[in-house]
Amino acid sequence: MSNSAIAVSGLRKTYGDKVVLDGIDLDVRAGTVFSLLGPNGAGKTTTVNVLSTLAKADGGSVRVAGHDIATEAKAVRAAIGVTGQFAAVDELLTGYENLQLMVDLHGVSDEDGKRTVAELLERFDLVEAAKKPASTYSGGMRRKLDLAMTLIGNPQIIFLDEPTTGLDPRSRRTMWSIIRDLVADGVTIFLTTQYLEEADQLADRIAVLDQGRLVAQGTPDDLKRQIPGTHVRLRFTDVSQLDAAARLFPDTTRDDEALTLRVPSDGGTRSLRALLERLDEYSLSAEEFSVHTPDLDDVFLALTGHATEVVAK
Ligand SMILES: Nc1ncnc2c1ncn2[C@@H]1O[C@H](COP(=O)(O)OP(=O)(O)O)[C@@H](O)[C@H]1O
Ligand SMILES: [Mg+2]
């Protein structure tokens, strides 16, 4: 237990007569990244809100940084930082002023505060932007500023609620590298995401949340063993072509009705060329050819037998 940053057992949360979290058990080791993966409406934000003491649980027990959220909320709050799904940045203030506000809130001394703010601006590449109001920032800059503000309290455990949703690929990668640096510094990260790739890239352990229940938990490799990996999908015009192609490649999965064949592949140009040459060699031609990278839908289909359901907000 001493190595546990977050320990959750039988957590329940209801809003009115709607059960939002229906008995959640999880354990997050200190110094690791734990990712809660789920579609919109699954209960990710609710989980973050309860674990970070922003909302009250209706059942079960939760310890964060060794403290009970129900009886030691203050100690929990002192140990954590939360970067919400909707940035807590004050639009009217400049980046610098937003950070300075956090310095004042945490009662950091003037000198330490100035140094910390300067370091954070440098680290998050916000030195230029610091003089401008946050309303002029891009989504990625706003997320970085929000996280920088969270770091001023020196939290041991950081909750990141969908930190990259809506960001362009470049800003997403920047955020990933910031998260990796934080973990290297010994911080524990509780990250929610709708992206399988993100959880795969960052997390030591992933839990899959579906309508308030965890449907799977394990390392990224554990999960990937349960879902189809990257593959090429070929569609043929008739069954004889499909038959012939299925004999050419190992470990394929076929759908006779759709006349499609799923061939495992890394999706790289070299293996794609080899695959096409092989087909050509046997005078087979596919009607349709697509490279498919597994996403959240594949995870849900494989783990629950149903597609992701978007719950009305
Ligand atoms: N304050 C609230 N009052 C009533 N229902 C809520 C409240 N917050 C969340 N919910 C409901 O709980 C479910 C889970 O929401 P949420 O935790 O925000 O999911 P996620 O973050 O995974 O998208 C949704 O059906 C949502 O409508
Ligand atoms: Mg949410």
Side-chain angles (χ1 to χ4, degrees):
M1 275 306 278
S2 61
N3 218 358
S4 221
I6 303 171
V8 176
S9 163
L11 173 61
R12 282 177 56 81
K13 175 74 187 169
T14 54
Y15 281 116
D17 54 12
K18 183 175 166 52
V19 179
V20 177
L21 299 177
D22 193 8
I24 302 253
D25 301 301
L26 50 87
D27 191 79
V28 181
R29 309 266 95 192
T32 66
V33 180
F34 184 92
S35 177
L36 190 61
L37 179 67
N40 235 333
K44 300 182 299 297
T45 298
T46 303
T47 306
V48 169
N49 287 347
V50 171
L51 301 193
S52 62
T53 78
L54 292 172
K56 268 205 157 52
D58 292 307
S61 70
V62 179
R63 294 185 83 80
V64 175
H67 305 290
D68 189 311
I69 54 161
T71 57
E72 303 165 275
K74 210 172 158 199
V76 170
R77 281 181 209 135
I80 66 171
V82 186
T83 300
Q85 191 171 0
F86 305 101
V89 168
D90 188 327
E91 302 267 309
L92 298 177
L93 301 181
T94 65
Y96 185 87
E97 289 164 342
N98 267 291
L99 287 164
Q100 191 56 49
L101 195 67
M102 296 310 282
V103 165
D104 297 343
L105 276 175
H106 284 281
V108 182
S109 77
D110 271 4
E111 201 180 319
D112 285 349
K114 272 210 168 59
R115 202 189 53 238
T116 307
V117 168
E119 277 169 11
L120 286 168
L121 289 173
E122 187 75 39
R123 179 170 169 191
F124 288 173
D125 198 18
L126 290 170
V127 175
E128 271 308 302
K131 300 165 208 120
K132 297 179 189 128
S135 57
T136 64
Y137 287 18
S138 68
M141 288 159 72
R142 211 166 295 193
R143 292 292 173 98
K144 285 197 292 186
L145 177 60
D146 199 10
L147 184 51
M149 287 161 67
T150 304
L151 293 185
I152 287 186
N154 256 327
Q156 310 161 35
I157 301 170
I158 299 179
F159 293 90
L160 296 173
D161 194 10
E162 297 199 30
T164 69
T165 296
L167 296 191
D168 60 82
R170 190 165 159 268
S171 307
R172 174 168 297 163
R173 286 191 183 269
T174 306
M175 190 56 90
W176 289 358
S177 98
I178 290 171
I179 293 171
R180 290 195 182 101
D181 289 345
L182 289 171
V183 180
D185 287 345
V187 171
T188 306
I189 305 276
F190 188 98
L191 167 96
T192 77
T193 185
Q194 299 195 36
Y195 308 111
L196 173 63
E197 195 206 353
E198 180 159 290
D200 183 22
Q201 284 281 333
L202 295 174
D204 297 289
R205 286 185 72 78
I206 300 172
V208 182
L209 188 63
D210 178 35
Q211 298 173 33
R213 289 171 195 260
L214 295 184
V215 292
Q217 227 184 126
T219 65
D221 282 340
D222 290 339
L223 282 184
K224 282 192 288 188
R225 266 193 288 279
Q226 298 178 57
I227 55 173
T230 302
H231 59 267
V232 170
R233 193 178 290 162
L234 301 167
R235 193 163 63 77
F236 295 94
T237 44
D238 57 65
V239 178
S240 65
Q241 292 248 331
L242 177 63
D243 274 339
R247 283 194 295 272
L248 288 183
F249 306 103
D251 302 324
T252 58
T253 314
R254 57 189 282 170
D255 180 337
D256 281 31
E257 213 162 304
L259 295 173
T260 56
L261 190 67
R262 201 167 72 199
V263 186
S265 163
D266 60 13
T269 49
R270 198 178 291 261
S271 47
L272 292 182
R273 188 177 305 123
L275 189 149
L276 290 172
E277 277 170 3
R278 197 89 210 276
L279 287 173
D280 208 36
E281 203 180 312
Y282 287 82
S283 305
L284 296 168
S285 65
E287 272 277 293
E288 248 178 59
F289 176 97
S290 59
V291 179
H292 191 81
T293 314
D295 56 18
L296 193 57
D297 292 326
D298 297 296
V299 175
F300 273 78
L301 204 55
L303 295 177
T304 66
H306 67 77
T308 55
E309 278 172 52
V310 177
V311 180
K313 284 242 153 190

Coordinates of all heavy atoms in Angstrom, one line a residue, residues 12 23 28 76 81 96 102 124-125 138 144-145 147 161 170 183 189 206 217-218 223 227 236-237 278 282:
R12 N -18.6 4.6 -5.8 CA -19.9 4.9 -6.5 C -20.2 6.3 -6.5 O -19.9 7.0 -5.5 CB -21.0 4.1 -5.8 CG -21.1 2.6 -6.1 CD -22.2 1.9 -5.3 NE -23.5 2.6 -5.5 CZ -24.3 2.4 -6.5 NH1 -23.9 1.5 -7.4 NH2 -25.4 3.0 -6.6
G23 N -19.2 1.3 -8.9 CA -18.3 0.4 -8.3 C -16.9 0.3 -9.0 O -16.7 -0.6 -9.7
V28 N -3.2 3.1 -8.3 CA -2.2 3.8 -9.1 C -0.9 3.9 -8.3 O -0.8 4.4 -7.3 CB -2.6 5.3 -9.5 CG1 -1.6 5.9 -10.3 CG2 -4.0 5.2 -10.2
V76 N -5.4 15.9 1.1 CA -5.4 15.4 -0.3 C -5.1 16.6 -1.2 O -4.3 16.6 -2.1 CB -6.8 14.8 -0.6 CG1 -6.9 14.5 -2.2 CG2 -6.9 13.5 0.1
G81 N -2.6 18.3 -7.9 CA -2.8 19.4 -8.8 C -3.9 18.9 -9.8 O -3.8 17.7 -10.2
Y96 N 1.6 35.7 -17.8 CA 2.4 36.0 -16.6 C 1.6 36.2 -15.4 O 1.8 35.7 -14.3 CB 3.3 37.2 -16.9 CG 4.3 37.5 -15.8 CD1 5.5 36.9 -15.7 CD2 3.9 38.4 -14.7 CE1 6.4 37.2 -14.7 CE2 4.8 38.7 -13.7 CZ 6.0 38.1 -13.6 OH 6.9 38.3 -12.6
M102 N -1.3 32.3 -9.2 CA -1.1 31.0 -8.5 C 0.0 31.1 -7.4 O -0.1 30.6 -6.3 CB -0.7 29.9 -9.5 CG -1.8 29.6 -10.5 SD -3.4 29.4 -9.8 CE -3.2 27.7 -9.2
F124 N 7.9 25.8 -20.8 CA 6.7 25.5 -21.6 C 6.7 26.4 -22.9 O 5.7 26.5 -23.6 CB 5.4 25.7 -20.8 CG 5.2 24.6 -19.8 CD1 4.1 24.7 -18.9 CD2 6.0 23.5 -19.8 CE1 3.9 23.7 -18.0 CE2 5.8 22.5 -18.8 CZ 4.7 22.6 -17.9
D125 N 7.8 27.1 -23.2 CA 7.9 27.9 -24.4 C 6.9 28.9 -24.5 O 6.2 29.1 -25.5 CB 7.9 26.9 -25.6 CG 8.4 27.6 -26.9 OD1 9.1 28.6 -26.7 OD2 8.1 27.1 -28.0
S138 N -3.6 30.1 -28.4 CA -4.2 29.0 -29.1 C -4.6 27.9 -28.0 O -4.1 28.1 -26.8 CB -3.1 28.3 -30.0 OG -2.1 27.8 -29.2
K144 N -1.0 24.5 -22.0 CA 0.3 24.5 -21.3 C 0.3 25.5 -20.2 O 0.9 25.2 -19.1 CB 1.4 25.0 -22.4 CG 1.7 23.9 -23.4 CD 3.0 24.1 -24.1 CE 2.9 25.3 -25.1 NZ 4.1 25.4 -25.9
L145 N -0.3 26.7 -20.4 CA -0.4 27.6 -19.3 C -1.1 27.1 -18.1 O -0.7 27.2 -16.9 CB -1.0 28.9 -19.8 CG -1.2 30.0 -18.7 CD1 0.1 30.5 -18.1 CD2 -2.0 31.2 -19.3
L147 N -1.4 23.9 -17.2 CA -0.6 23.0 -16.5 C 0.6 23.7 -15.8 O 0.9 23.3 -14.6 CB 0.0 22.0 -17.6 CG 0.9 20.8 -17.1 CD1 0.1 20.1 -15.9 CD2 1.2 19.9 -18.2
D161 N -7.3 16.0 -17.0 CA -8.5 15.5 -17.6 C -8.6 15.9 -19.1 O -8.7 17.1 -19.5 CB -9.7 16.2 -16.9 CG -11.0 15.5 -17.2 OD1 -11.0 14.4 -17.9 OD2 -12.1 16.0 -16.8
R170 N 0.7 18.6 -33.4 CA 2.0 19.1 -32.9 C 1.9 19.5 -31.4 O 2.7 19.1 -30.6 CB 2.4 20.3 -33.7 CG 3.8 20.7 -33.4 CD 4.4 21.6 -34.4 NE 5.5 22.3 -33.8 CZ 5.4 23.5 -33.3 NH1 4.2 24.1 -33.3 NH2 6.4 24.1 -32.7
V183 N 6.8 12.9 -15.2 CA 7.0 11.6 -14.6 C 8.4 11.3 -14.3 O 8.8 10.7 -13.2 CB 6.4 10.5 -15.5 CG1 6.6 9.1 -14.9 CG2 5.0 10.8 -15.8
I189 N 0.9 10.7 -12.5 CA -0.1 11.3 -13.4 C -1.3 10.4 -13.5 O -1.2 9.2 -13.8 CB 0.5 11.5 -14.8 CG1 1.8 12.3 -14.7 CG2 -0.5 12.1 -15.7 CD1 1.7 13.8 -14.7
I206 N -3.5 1.1 -18.0 CA -4.7 1.7 -18.6 C -5.9 1.0 -18.0 O -5.9 -0.2 -17.8 CB -4.7 1.5 -20.1 CG1 -3.5 2.1 -20.8 CG2 -6.0 2.1 -20.7 CD1 -3.4 1.8 -22.3
Q217 N -8.5 -3.6 -17.5 CA -7.5 -2.9 -16.8 C -6.2 -3.7 -17.0 O -6.2 -4.9 -17.0 CB -7.7 -2.9 -15.3 CG -7.5 -1.5 -14.7 CD -7.7 -1.4 -13.2 OE1 -6.8 -1.0 -12.5 NE2 -8.9 -1.8 -12.7
G218 N -5.1 -2.9 -17.3 CA -3.8 -3.6 -17.5 C -2.8 -2.7 -18.2 O -3.0 -1.5 -18.3
L223 N -3.7 -4.8 -23.0 CA -4.9 -4.4 -23.7 C -4.8 -4.7 -25.2 O -5.7 -5.2 -25.8 CB -5.2 -2.9 -23.5 CG -5.8 -2.5 -22.2 CD1 -6.1 -1.0 -22.3 CD2 -7.1 -3.3 -22.0
I227 N -7.2 -6.6 -28.5 CA -7.8 -5.9 -29.6 C -7.0 -6.1 -30.8 O -5.8 -6.3 -30.8 CB -8.0 -4.4 -29.3 CG1 -6.6 -3.8 -28.9 CG2 -9.0 -4.1 -28.1 CD1 -6.6 -2.3 -28.8
F236 N -12.3 -7.8 -51.7 CA -12.3 -8.4 -53.0 C -13.6 -8.4 -53.7 O -14.7 -8.2 -53.0 CB -11.7 -9.8 -52.9 CG -10.3 -9.8 -52.4 CD1 -10.0 -9.9 -51.0 CD2 -9.2 -9.7 -53.3 CE1 -8.7 -9.9 -50.6 CE2 -7.9 -9.6 -52.8 CZ -7.6 -9.7 -51.5
T237 N -13.6 -8.8 -55.0 CA -14.9 -8.8 -55.7 C -15.6 -10.1 -55.6 O -16.8 -10.2 -55.7 CB -14.7 -8.5 -57.2 OG1 -13.6 -9.2 -57.6 CG2 -14.5 -7.0 -57.4
R278 N 3.0 -9.1 -53.4 CA 2.6 -10.5 -53.2 C 1.2 -10.8 -53.9 O 1.1 -11.8 -54.6 CB 2.4 -10.8 -51.7 CG 2.4 -12.2 -51.3 CD 3.8 -12.7 -51.0 NE 3.8 -14.2 -51.3 CZ 3.5 -15.1 -50.4 NH1 3.1 -14.8 -49.2 NH2 3.6 -16.4 -50.7
Y282 N 0.3 -13.1 -57.5 CA -0.7 -14.2 -57.7 C -1.9 -13.7 -58.5 O -3.0 -14.2 -58.4 CB -1.1 -14.7 -56.3 CG -0.1 -15.6 -55.7 CD1 1.0 -15.0 -55.0 CD2 -0.1 -17.0 -55.8 CE1 2.0 -15.8 -54.5 CE2 0.9 -17.8 -55.3 CZ 2.0 -17.2 -54.6 OH 2.9 -18.0 -54.1

